[in-house]
Amino acid sequence: MLSVDAIDVYYGNIQALRGVSLTVEEGEIVTLIGANGAGKSTLLKTLSGLLKPKTGKIEFLGQSIAGKPAQGIVKSGISHVPEGRRVFANLTVEENLELGAFLRKDKKGIETDLKKVYDTFPRLLERRKQMSGTLSGGEQQMLAMGRAIMAKPKLLLLDEPSMGLAPLMVKTIFKVVKEINAEGTTILLVEQNAHMALSVANRGYVIETGKVVLSGPADEFHASDEIRKAYLGGH
């Protein structure tokens, strides 16, 4: 579904990604693991058109999307839940969700999906008239994911969905990640909580200083001493 081939990405003169290649097959959950500043968020921003690669190729469903404007990439079926949630604080919960469906014309489908988001996150239904800026961190994460789902993506890019959340909320978020995937959405997940990420993922890639240094099935990562020491706290 997604093929990234040897991309280099720079912030000014600083190289953030070095020859990164990876693939995501339809129906998978693929996770990117790596320390802070390794380039994981940069990769997601490049895939969603917020950054342009200097070299290399990015193809989604057989079409080149490298350097395409962000709105065109959303239209082609990729939604991005950015790090730090980025909800529209001065709009209500429901207005945020409606904005997620901005490019859609199917009124009936939008209503159905709004109901589905509320079924998935009952808390958002309770808060639907509330200003988004007044929600807790966990509720804002639910809203950011709900808003992305409203775009009806084929591929969902999730950046650090568990960051700063209480353990119980983290469990809820990952349960939903699995549900979204089971309903047919492919997911590329960036996550500091490597244990959690590998427990839901089919495959993983390890990124260090802008390079992919390892890739393989998630259960192999769990079994690898090297990965355990570096990313799973040695447990």
Side-chain angles (χ1 to χ4, degrees):
M1 180 182 243
L2 178 74
S3 160
V4 178
D5 185 18
I7 61 169
D8 290 339
V9 177
Y10 289 78
Y11 288 108
N13 295 324
I14 298 163
Q15 189 166 3
L17 295 180
R18 303 161 189 276
V20 168
S21 297
L22 59 85
T23 59
V24 179
E25 304 292 335
E26 192 166 341
E28 282 190 310
I29 298 179
V30 174
T31 186
L32 304 174
I33 297 169
N36 266 338
K40 306 182 303 293
S41 294
T42 300
L43 177 57
L44 293 196
K45 285 178 183 165
T46 306
L47 295 176
S48 64
L50 299 172
L51 294 169
K52 288 185 172 37
K54 197 158 190 176
T55 55
K57 291 195 296 218
I58 305 172
E59 287 190 351
F60 178 62
L61 297 172
Q63 303 291 313
S64 171
I65 59 166
K68 203 173 173 182
Q71 66 271 28
I73 289 176
V74 174
K75 226 174 201 163
S76 70
I78 298 178
S79 279
H80 186 175
V81 180
E83 188 180 357
R85 340 247 206 248
R86 303 292 179 90
V87 299
F88 299 107
N90 57 344
L91 297 177
T92 66
V93 166
E94 192 146 297
E95 285 165 342
N96 267 268
L97 292 172
E98 285 166 351
L99 274 175
F102 184 72
L103 290 173
R104 293 174 59 182
K105 301 281 183 278
D106 55 326
K107 275 216 165 58
K108 275 276 184 292
I110 292 170
E111 280 168 27
T112 304
D113 286 341
L114 189 60
K115 185 181 178 308
K116 203 191 299 178
V117 168
Y118 286 145
D119 288 346
T120 306
F121 297 117
R123 191 88 57 88
L124 294 183
L125 180 61
E126 289 165 24
R127 307 255 193 276
R128 69 181 199 273
K129 297 295 178 217
Q130 201 168 313
M131 289 299 167
S132 302
T134 64
L135 300 178
S136 72
E139 289 162 353
Q140 288 192 7
Q141 186 61 54
M142 292 173 180
L143 179 56
M145 288 171 75
R147 183 178 61 189
I149 292 165
M150 289 299 294
K152 230 180 168 49
K154 298 180 180 80
L155 174 64
L156 185 61
L157 309 176
L158 277 178
D159 198 353
E160 301 285 8
S162 80
M163 192 190 263
L165 301 184
L168 205 60
M169 184 58 80
V170 172
K171 276 202 167 114
T172 302
I173 293 295
F174 273 93
K175 187 169 149 284
V176 171
V177 167
K178 283 172 81 168
E179 283 168 9
I180 293 168
N181 178 249
E183 286 172 6
T185 305
T186 306
I187 294 173
L188 182 58
L189 169 69
V190 162
E191 180 52 67
Q192 280 282 288
N193 186 336
H195 263 302
M196 270 308 217
L198 290 171
S199 73
V200 300
N202 303 93
R203 293 187 300 114
Y205 289 88
V206 175
I207 295 189
E208 278 176 15
T209 57
K211 289 197 287 279
V212 171
V213 293
L214 272 176
S215 67
D219 48 5
E220 273 179 29
F221 274 16
H222 253 312
S224 149
D225 284 345
E226 195 186 337
I227 300 235
R228 278 223 298 275
K229 281 198 184 83
Y231 300 106
L232 303 175
H235 303 309

